[in-house]
Amino acid sequence: MPAPHRMTATQLLAAYRDKSLSPLDYAESLIAHIERWEPHLNALYAYRPEAFLAAARASSERWARSEPRGALDGVPVTLKELIATRGLPVPGGTGLGEQPKASEDAPPAARLAEDHALLVAKTTCPDYGMLSSGLSSFHGLTRNPWNLACNTGGSSSGAGAAAAAGYGPLHLGTDIGGSIRLPAAWCGVVGFKPTLGRIPIDPYYVGRCAGPMTRSVDDAALMMTSLARTDRRDAMRLPPESIDWTDLRLELKGLRLGVMLEAGCGLPLEAPLRQAVESAAQHLEAAGATLVSLAPVLTREMLDGLDRFWRARQWSELEALTPAQRERVLPAIIAWAEDGARLSGVEAVRGFQQTLNMRRATEAVFEQVDAVISPTTPNVSFPADWVSPTNDPLRPFEHIAYTLPWNMGEQPAISLNAGFSGEGMPLGVQLIGPRFADHLVLKLAKALEERLDVAPRWPSLP
């Protein structure tokens, strides 16, 4: 049996069934592991080991009677702090305002609780979830376990770090422009952004999704069995659908796979990532897929237009703060958003129109192909204390050109680790499918994961 913190959720459940390990045994081991790592990472918020142990003890009693309740009984999980859990405030990376305690679990938290997953902690995020960085005015700096001098990305920064460091097998992030897939890529884990509405979420918004962050595709699929159940609090949810998420068999012969190496704008693609995508595509071609070269879907006009709209939207939140509160927000957020106060309503509306232009462009891709492979990020790594890969608050989105379009187009997309750079940093590859083809994307990711056969390798304590 591997060390407990290296076990997948599927391995854990098998160990619980044959009684070679109990949830309480695992919880005690995991707490010791977290206590060794967490001073270096700062990935957790509202970490309550006593409550976690009590829940693990109750789960162990159920398993001892061979009466588990729910598909995830006894399996540890973390939730991004933006996902409300009853009895805890939602600081939004800033801790500003009244900070009332949530009166109920948000839909993803409720689904995991119904299946008796054990909440270890919430995970950190940057201010308002609007940076792809581990930097937060409330939580402090979250670091990448592969190299503490490197950034996790964001905004699911704590989830990416926790998954890579082995803080349990299951983690939940949110994604509106890449906030699951970017930290998944930089932290070397699997990050799945489903079709908009596949996982109900509250509050819901254009492009905003919740999704699994795990160490394997199998565990991401296992999470979907819980997370994809319906909830009327999300008015943008998809109709309920019966899907056997854990069946990941796929025949690749005849599959048309688009290869999109250029983003269309933003930062240039670094050579190790180009090589990783090309190699991954060749693995799938050898298994029967047909490769089709694709032009980028994003344009400078699209990215800049959405940037203007998001500045105006962010300023509407900052404007509600007192001057004293505003001073506590990260300066990079203020510097970026304050231009939103000067935009006219017409300019903001024109910016929002670019979301529809992205939707049209991304949907057209699937007239040519069944799925797409691309880099997740243009760069391999960047310093831990930077607010983005450019570290320029006026150019904050130059790194999201591979991920953003699929949020606005609502297509499912997954990032998984395809290897390591010469410096030992993970190289993320992204797979995208048409709207509603979430199961296909997971199957394709499983096929690629198996064929890449990246040797098991996880960060070591510094």
Side-chain angles (χ1 to χ4, degrees):
M1 184 184 295
H5 69 270
R6 294 185 183 272
M7 295 176 73
T8 66
T10 48
Q11 289 172 328
L12 268 184
L13 289 167
Y16 295 164
R17 286 188 197 100
D18 67 20
K19 297 182 170 49
S20 59
L21 187 71
S22 75
L24 182 58
D25 293 334
Y26 182 86
E28 290 173 341
S29 173
L30 186 61
I31 287 169
H33 178 73
I34 289 172
E35 287 176 353
R36 290 191 294 269
W37 262 108
E38 185 59 2
H40 304 285
L41 294 188
N42 186 40
L44 301 184
Y45 161 68
Y47 175 47
R48 300 185 293 184
E50 298 83 5
F52 174 44
L53 280 173
R57 190 171 291 109
S59 178
S60 294
E61 292 170 359
R62 292 191 292 273
W63 278 103
R65 299 191 303 268
S66 298
E67 296 175 354
R69 296 175 60 192
L72 299 175
D73 197 344
V75 180
V77 64
T78 72
L79 303 174
K80 187 176 180 178
E81 66 106 311
L82 294 179
I83 299 168
T85 49
R86 185 167 56 87
L88 287 173
V90 182
T94 68
L96 298 175
E98 294 183 4
Q99 294 294 302
K101 294 180 179 179
S103 60
E104 60 182 358
D105 288 343
R111 299 295 84 74
L112 292 168
E114 287 167 1
D115 277 348
H116 285 81
L118 306 184
L119 179 61
V120 178
K122 308 295 284 291
T123 51
T124 60
C125 72
D127 294 32
Y128 296 98
M130 286 306 296
L131 291 178
S132 192
S133 171
L135 192 62
S136 162
S137 61
F138 178 72
H139 299 294
L141 179 59
T142 301
R143 295 179 180 272
N144 192 318
W146 290 101
N147 183 337
L148 299 181
C150 291
N151 211 297
T152 57
S155 61
S156 302
S157 48
Y167 288 16
L170 306 182
H171 308 269
L172 190 70
T174 63
D175 190 317
I176 199 171
S179 288
I180 288 172
R181 290 157 291 156
L182 295 169
W186 283 313
C187 293
V189 300
V190 173
F192 181 45
K193 179 206 80 69
T195 300
L196 185 75
R198 176 71 71 191
I199 296 175
I201 192 169
D202 183 31
Y204 49 87
Y205 196 73
V206 176
R208 184 174 189 249
C209 299
M213 299 178 72
T214 63
R215 285 183 163 196
S216 71
V217 176
D218 282 334
D219 278 1
L222 179 64
M223 285 188 82
M224 290 299 293
T225 63
S226 297
L227 296 170
R229 294 199 295 269
T230 195
D231 193 305
R232 286 192 175 276
R233 287 175 288 174
D234 184 350
M236 300 169 77
R237 71 195 181 283
L238 297 184
E241 189 174 354
S242 179
I243 297 172
D244 181 0
W245 292 102
T246 59
D247 179 2
L248 297 178
R249 294 168 295 179
L250 178 65
E251 173 56 62
L252 286 167
K253 187 175 181 180
L255 184 132
R256 300 168 299 160
L257 181 66
V259 182
M260 189 177 291
L261 288 169
E262 301 303 327
C265 56
L267 292 174
L269 182 63
E270 294 181 1
L273 288 159
R274 180 180 295 274
Q275 293 162 7
V277 174
E278 290 173 339
S279 175
Q282 288 162 8
H283 277 287
L284 294 174
E285 182 182 35
T290 300
L291 302 187
V292 179
S293 180
L294 290 179
V297 290
L298 195 69
T299 66
R300 185 81 251 175
E301 183 181 16
M302 290 175 183
L303 185 60
D304 288 349
L306 189 61
D307 182 6
R308 288 191 293 273
F309 170 70
W310 276 354
R311 288 182 195 227
R313 178 173 176 259
Q314 185 62 57
W315 187 255
S316 72
E317 295 192 47
L318 295 172
E319 194 176 42
L321 301 177
T322 66
Q325 289 173 330
R326 209 172 297 147
E327 287 181 3
R328 292 167 52 191
V329 177
L330 285 175
I333 293 285
I334 299 293
W336 165 69
E338 63 185 358
D339 192 50
R342 295 185 282 272
L343 290 172
S344 70
V346 171
E347 288 174 309
V349 168
R350 286 175 179 163
F352 181 78
Q353 178 63 35
Q354 295 302 331
T355 67
L356 303 181
N357 294 344
M358 283 184 235
R359 186 183 184 111
R360 183 182 298 274
T362 54
E363 192 65 17
V365 165
F366 297 101
E367 291 288 345
Q368 308 172 61
V369 296
D370 302 306
V372 175
I373 188 169
S374 81
T376 310
T377 66
N379 61 309
V380 175
S381 64
F382 63 106
D385 58 354
W386 283 19
V387 294
S388 74
T390 64
N391 205 32
D392 181 351
L394 301 183
R395 296 172 60 242
F397 301 132
E398 300 301 298
H399 59 288
I400 67 173
Y402 289 107
T403 54
L404 171 68
W406 315 109
N407 289 80
M408 300 303 111
E410 302 184 8
Q411 293 88 3
I414 194 168
S415 179
L416 65 158
N417 186 38
F420 296 89
S421 70
E423 294 73 36
M425 296 304 290
L427 302 172
V429 168
Q430 180 179 221
L431 297 165
I432 309 107
R435 289 174 72 215
F436 317 124
D438 306 69
H439 202 192
L440 170 65
V441 170
L442 286 166
K443 289 178 178 182
L444 187 56
K446 176 65 175 179
L448 179 57
E449 184 181 61
E450 290 178 339
R451 284 159 178 80
L452 287 172
D453 194 26
V454 177
R457 178 178 171 187
W458 293 106
S460 300
L461 276 164

